[in-house]
Amino acid sequence: EIDIMEAAGGNPDKIGGTIHYGEEYPNNTYTSGDYHFPEGEDITGYHTYSVEWEPGEIRWYVDGELYQTLNDWFSKGTNQADKYAFPAPFDQEFYMILNLAVGGWYGGNPDETTEFPGEMEVDYVRVYELTGRDYKEPVEPVVEDEELPEDAKQPLEDGNLIYDQSYQEPITVVDQPEDSLDPTYWNFLKLPQFGGEGTMEATDVDGERFAKTTIENPGNALWSLQQIQKIAILKGHTYEVTFDAKSNTNRNLMTKVSGGAERGYANYSGEKTFQLSDVVQSYNYTFTLNQDTDLAARLEFNMGSNGQAPVWIGNVRVEDVTDQQEEETSKSPLGDGNRIYNGTFD
């Protein structure tokens, strides 16, 4: 999906341009950028929104002003060993949609201050073919290895990117949209617009320290109740996430590594859903960061919208395993267990 222009009525002084790519939902991701209007202008006036789409590069404009250029993305099929050839998925025909939506996470749900009816006025839609020169040849960007800057959150001596694994530090409760996450230690997020209510406290489970989330109201979204810690991760590096968890009955727990608000909450790892039981079990997943380095990425455990059964989480680790991945020479099975790669000749 290529979003030529997205606007939210609650923020009329800016618009966004976005590409959606990666794997199939919910393991897709996106990259976006914002355009801020000059003082005195906003989305209520007429403006010309456009993209220039060439093989391997997409450019966004407002009133002829270039504000974003993207040339780095990927596409990967479910249970496939490798990515499709660049510039997939933006190497095929798309269709165009112009719509006026109400609600959703992008603009938020309407309330008593929302004015109805809402209108979208479109003067024209035009599509041009490039003339005067050939289209660019697509060139997939080369990922150059980099190191964390000195002022970034560094891994501990044992390689763990997670601080306070045993919950000795206070857990920061974030329950208002204007509140900030603690940049170093654990956070418990329960924003009122999503309806989640509960508490999080450190407790002992079989002699080890776990964070226990007691759920009073699961809210209306998976992210209604979240346990979050910020981590610094590098583009092109592979990471392994491991943790122990339980409930007092069978229930699901969704976890992922994502960007924050400044990254549009981009999904870096894909959503990983595990079924918990009343016995402590160990869980793990790996992912490679294909987007730009993020020094304020978020490890999330999402416990909303899934009943009131409590959740215990402990022994959380996030470790850079890039070197281990490069040393492995055996051909690993795909996600569905198949040892034949590209069995569908895609």
Side-chain angles (χ1 to χ4, degrees), residues 28-344:
N28 58 318
T29 188
Y30 52 86
T31 303
S32 63
D34 290 336
Y35 173 85
H36 294 265
F37 288 99
E39 186 175 354
E41 299 182 23
D42 59 25
I43 61 173
T44 62
Y46 274 105
H47 298 278
T48 302
Y49 305 103
S50 57
V51 296
E52 293 179 344
W53 176 12
E54 295 196 62
E57 183 172 291
I58 305 174
R59 300 177 292 274
W60 281 257
Y61 298 81
V62 175
D63 297 330
E65 179 184 347
L66 174 68
Y67 75 91
Q68 176 176 230
T69 300
L70 295 178
N71 55 18
D72 192 358
W73 56 75
F74 70 97
S75 180
K76 187 172 181 289
T78 301
N79 292 324
Q80 292 300 311
D82 204 355
K83 299 178 291 185
Y84 295 117
F86 186 80
F90 304 114
D91 58 351
Q92 57 191 299
E93 291 186 355
F94 281 52
Y95 59 89
M96 189 173 294
I97 298 176
L98 289 82
N99 73 303
L100 178 62
V102 177
W105 74 267
Y106 185 79
N109 293 326
D111 57 24
E112 64 278 1
T113 66
T114 306
E115 295 184 7
F116 287 105
E119 294 182 342
M120 178 177 67
E121 297 181 3
V122 180
D123 184 29
Y124 62 86
V125 178
R126 297 170 183 162
V127 179
Y128 300 92
E129 187 171 0
L130 178 66
T131 60
R133 66 170 174 83
D134 293 333
Y135 284 102
K136 291 186 175 184
E137 289 293 326
V139 178
E140 185 171 10
V142 176
V143 178
E144 296 183 2
D145 195 24
E146 56 182 312
E147 296 182 355
L148 289 174
E150 292 183 0
D151 59 349
K153 184 180 177 183
Q154 302 293 324
L156 300 174
E157 290 185 2
D158 64 354
N160 194 0
L161 302 184
I162 294 297
Y163 287 18
D164 192 30
Q165 189 183 45
S166 58
Y167 303 102
Q168 300 297 325
E169 299 291 335
I171 297 171
T172 299
V173 177
V174 178
D175 57 7
Q176 296 298 324
E178 63 271 15
D179 292 345
S180 298
L181 295 176
D182 184 286
T184 306
Y185 299 113
W186 288 110
N187 298 268
F188 178 48
L189 194 69
K190 51 172 186 175
L191 297 180
Q193 62 264 43
F194 303 119
E197 284 293 338
T199 59
M200 181 178 291
E201 61 179 344
T203 185
D204 287 341
V205 176
D206 299 330
E208 295 186 290
R209 297 275 283 182
F210 277 58
K212 177 187 178 183
T213 300
T214 301
I215 300 173
E216 300 166 8
N217 186 337
N220 56 25
L222 283 171
W223 51 87
S224 297
L225 296 166
Q226 295 177 300
Q227 179 177 336
I228 295 176
Q229 187 170 141
K230 289 191 173 185
I231 55 176
I233 52 179
L234 296 168
K235 181 175 183 176
H237 283 227
T238 299
Y239 296 88
E240 182 178 30
V241 180
T242 61
F243 62 96
D244 295 341
K246 61 165 281 190
S247 182
N248 61 4
T249 186
N250 292 339
R251 65 155 291 157
N252 287 340
L253 172 68
M254 189 274 278
T255 175
K256 65 178 178 178
V257 177
S258 70
E262 67 283 353
R263 294 290 184 95
Y265 302 104
N267 187 350
Y268 297 148
S269 66
E271 295 183 2
K272 310 298 180 182
T273 300
F274 300 97
Q275 185 174 64
L276 310 185
S277 70
D278 60 357
V279 177
V280 174
Q281 298 183 73
S282 297
Y283 305 90
N284 72 287
Y285 59 94
T286 60
F287 72 96
T288 299
L289 181 62
N290 292 298
Q291 292 91 326
D292 289 339
T293 289
D294 191 344
L295 303 182
R298 301 152 37 121
L299 171 64
E300 302 179 8
F301 294 100
N302 295 272
M303 296 166 282
S305 186
N306 195 17
Q308 291 183 268
V311 176
W312 287 262
I313 296 173
N315 296 318
V316 184
R317 290 186 60 85
V318 179
E319 187 174 0
D320 189 333
V321 295
T322 306
D323 293 340
Q324 298 176 29
Q325 294 285 317
E326 292 175 350
E327 290 173 1
E328 291 182 359
T329 57
S330 61
K331 184 177 178 181
S332 301
L334 301 175
D336 60 357
N338 192 358
R339 293 183 179 273
I340 297 298
Y341 288 8
N342 195 29
T344 53

